[in-house]
Amino acid sequence: MAKTLVFLEHHDGAIQKGSLGVLSTVGGAHGVLVGSGVRALAEGIGTTVWVADDERLAAPLPQPRVDVLAKLVRDEGYDTVLFGQSVLAADVAAGVAARLDAGLNWGLVDFDGTQGRAPALQDTVVVDVGWTTPVRIGLFRAGALDPAELGGATEVKDATVELEDFSTAAEMVEQAHAEQQGPSIEEADVIVAGGRGLGEPEKFALAEELAQALGGAVAATRAVVDAGWYPYSAQVGQTGKTVSPKLYVALGISGAIQHKVGMQGSNVIVAINKDPNAPIFEFSDLGVVGDLHDIVPKLTELVRARRS
Ligand SMILES: Cc1cc2nc3c(=O)[nH]c(=O)nc-3n(C[C@H](O)[C@H](O)[C@H](O)COP(=O)(O)OP(=O)(O)OC[C@H]3O[C@@H](n4cnc5c(N)ncnc54)[C@H](O)[C@@H]3O)c2cc1C
């Protein structure tokens, strides 16, 4: 049985859904929290959580985190370190792999204790992936795992913080947050996604108003992102993000395979499309054939009325 450590990434006082998804899916795993003033975040996790709490770890920089994780693996004999995909997690995972001379598999959607599973060939198949090194490093695909209910007794242990000189050479000069109302698409329970069928960029207001009424986030297809209608950060699909909300409402989206792979893990998929033969209807739970410009404003009104 693997002795597994999961990197618990946190921002703004909350552990990221992706990390919690990995921790709750991989049985018997321990967590590690790295930062400054983060001890309270360990409460209620329900497993052993190593806490590296140090002022020098306040900025979300990768190298100091690599120091902490590499030392923990060496000192405590962990043979597997898993991460939920993010920009920071990818940097830390690569650094830990280099430091420990360990193999790194990314894009994982499952791990059984010795082997991983990952989509391949443009997501048309899922293959087994393995490691040949004593320590395995794995990066899970963003949105691949939903966090199950965590809780119970948590054993908090202090991790030793010994930083290399070169790890503290970088300094965070400025950190900016993207302006955003409501949840991000990675975290949202409800996503309203817009495609080329919206007709023009201004019509994204229809998606935004419906998303706001449902308390959700707005996503987009690559076609509209490439056309400059919506930012890349909202793109779902093979070359965008993978999401798994409870409800995914697709407005004017054809359902190309490259889009499908990013949202097929949604619990309920509702599609509104004027073409009854649109591929998206093949994998929707509810399909509405019609002009979204007629349907969406009425739907938004109905949702608002129900909620008020
Ligand atoms: C290597 C590669 C990677 C890719 N990665 C991605 C990716 O990450 N994400 C992604 O989304 N795509 C990706 N694509 C592009 C993908 O193949 C499709 O081109 C894209 O998803 C289509 O976007 P769309 O559904 O918005 O547009 P379209 O395919 O043009 O579909 C528009 C739909 O809107 C409907 N419609 C039009 N008017 C209305 C109306 N008034 N009311 C209701 N319905 C209407 C039409 O019937 C049509 O079905 C990738 C492609 C390649 C080759």
Side-chain angles (χ1 to χ4, degrees), residues 122 194-198 220-224 235-240 251-256 258-259 272-275 278 290-293:
Q122 300 201 340
R196 200 148 37 189
L198 285 168
T221 64
R222 177 166 164 177
V224 294
Q235 185 182 313
V236 165
Q238 184 187 320
T239 44
L251 309 179
I253 293 177
S254 58
Q258 296 90 352
H259 186 76
I272 303 176
N273 196 306
K274 68 177 184 186
D275 175 5
D291 190 331
L292 69 88
H293 300 102

Side-chain angles (χ1 to χ4, degrees), residues 161-241:
V161 179
E162 283 174 13
L163 304 183
E164 305 282 353
D165 287 346
F166 58 80
S167 297
T168 51
E171 184 189 337
M172 180 153 285
V173 179
E174 193 185 355
Q175 198 176 0
H177 288 277
E179 287 289 323
Q180 172 180 305
Q181 283 186 331
S184 68
I185 60 170
E186 293 97 326
E187 305 275 316
D189 282 338
V190 177
I191 290 179
V192 179
R196 200 148 37 189
L198 285 168
E200 53 183 354
E202 291 70 29
K203 288 287 160 50
F204 253 94
L206 291 174
E208 286 167 348
E209 281 163 17
L210 180 56
Q212 201 179 19
L214 290 165
V218 177
T221 64
R222 177 166 164 177
V224 294
V225 169
D226 283 354
W229 294 10
Y230 224 66
Y232 171 68
S233 57
Q235 185 182 313
V236 165
Q238 184 187 320
T239 44
K241 290 177 179 156

Side-chain angles (χ1 to χ4, degrees), residues 3-305:
K3 196 170 172 202
T4 304
L5 191 62
V6 175
F7 178 64
L8 297 176
E9 182 172 349
H10 58 88
H11 295 286
D12 300 327
I15 300 177
Q16 299 302 101
K17 193 174 155 188
S19 311
L20 292 175
V22 177
L23 187 71
S24 61
T25 304
V26 178
H30 296 172
V32 55
L33 267 168
V34 186
S36 177
V38 292
R39 185 170 296 273
L41 293 180
E43 278 165 27
I45 297 275
T47 181
T48 298
V49 179
W50 291 95
V51 177
D53 205 328
D54 189 302
E55 276 179 3
R56 293 170 297 168
L57 299 167
L61 291 167
Q63 281 306 324
R65 283 157 176 75
V66 173
D67 290 343
V68 172
L69 267 69
K71 181 163 174 51
L72 257 184
V73 169
R74 288 196 187 110
D75 291 354
E76 300 298 324
Y78 287 100
D79 55 30
T80 306
V81 190
L82 300 176
F83 299 78
Q85 169 77 47
S86 76
V87 174
L88 177 64
D91 275 353
V92 178
V96 173
R99 195 77 67 83
L100 298 175
D101 204 12
L104 166 63
N105 274 306
W106 65 94
L108 299 180
V109 293
D110 200 8
F111 176 70
D112 70 3
T114 49
Q115 266 201 324
R117 309 246 313 143
L121 299 176
Q122 300 201 340
D123 286 348
T124 51
V125 291
V126 178
V127 297
D128 291 334
V129 294
W131 289 259
T132 54
T133 50
V135 177
R136 316 172 182 99
I137 314 289
L139 197 58
F140 273 78
R141 186 181 259 216
L145 303 173
D146 256 344
E149 200 67 30
L150 289 164
T154 304
E155 185 189 17
V156 177
K157 291 184 171 180
D158 285 311
T160 313
V161 179
E162 283 174 13
L163 304 183
E164 305 282 353
D165 287 346
F166 58 80
S167 297
T168 51
E171 184 189 337
M172 180 153 285
V173 179
E174 193 185 355
Q175 198 176 0
H177 288 277
E179 287 289 323
Q180 172 180 305
Q181 283 186 331
S184 68
I185 60 170
E186 293 97 326
E187 305 275 316
D189 282 338
V190 177
I191 290 179
V192 179
R196 200 148 37 189
L198 285 168
E200 53 183 354
E202 291 70 29
K203 288 287 160 50
F204 253 94
L206 291 174
E208 286 167 348
E209 281 163 17
L210 180 56
Q212 201 179 19
L214 290 165
V218 177
T221 64
R222 177 166 164 177
V224 294
V225 169
D226 283 354
W229 294 10
Y230 224 66
Y232 171 68
S233 57
Q235 185 182 313
V236 165
Q238 184 187 320
T239 44
K241 290 177 179 156
T242 302
V243 294
S244 50
K246 291 184 181 146
L247 173 64
Y248 192 92
V249 185
L251 309 179
I253 293 177
S254 58
I257 176 73
Q258 296 90 352
H259 186 76
K260 180 184 173 190
V261 295
M263 45 69 82
Q264 61 192 351
S266 308
N267 274 8
V268 174
I269 298 171
V270 176
I272 303 176
N273 196 306
K274 68 177 184 186
D275 175 5
N277 297 315
I280 194 148
F281 289 134
E282 289 164 22
F283 54 94
S284 298
D285 299 284
L286 175 68
V288 181
V289 179
D291 190 331
L292 69 88
H293 300 102
D294 297 333
I295 297 165
V296 177
K298 290 176 190 154
L299 181 58
T300 305
E301 274 315 304
L302 270 175
V303 174
R304 282 187 188 136

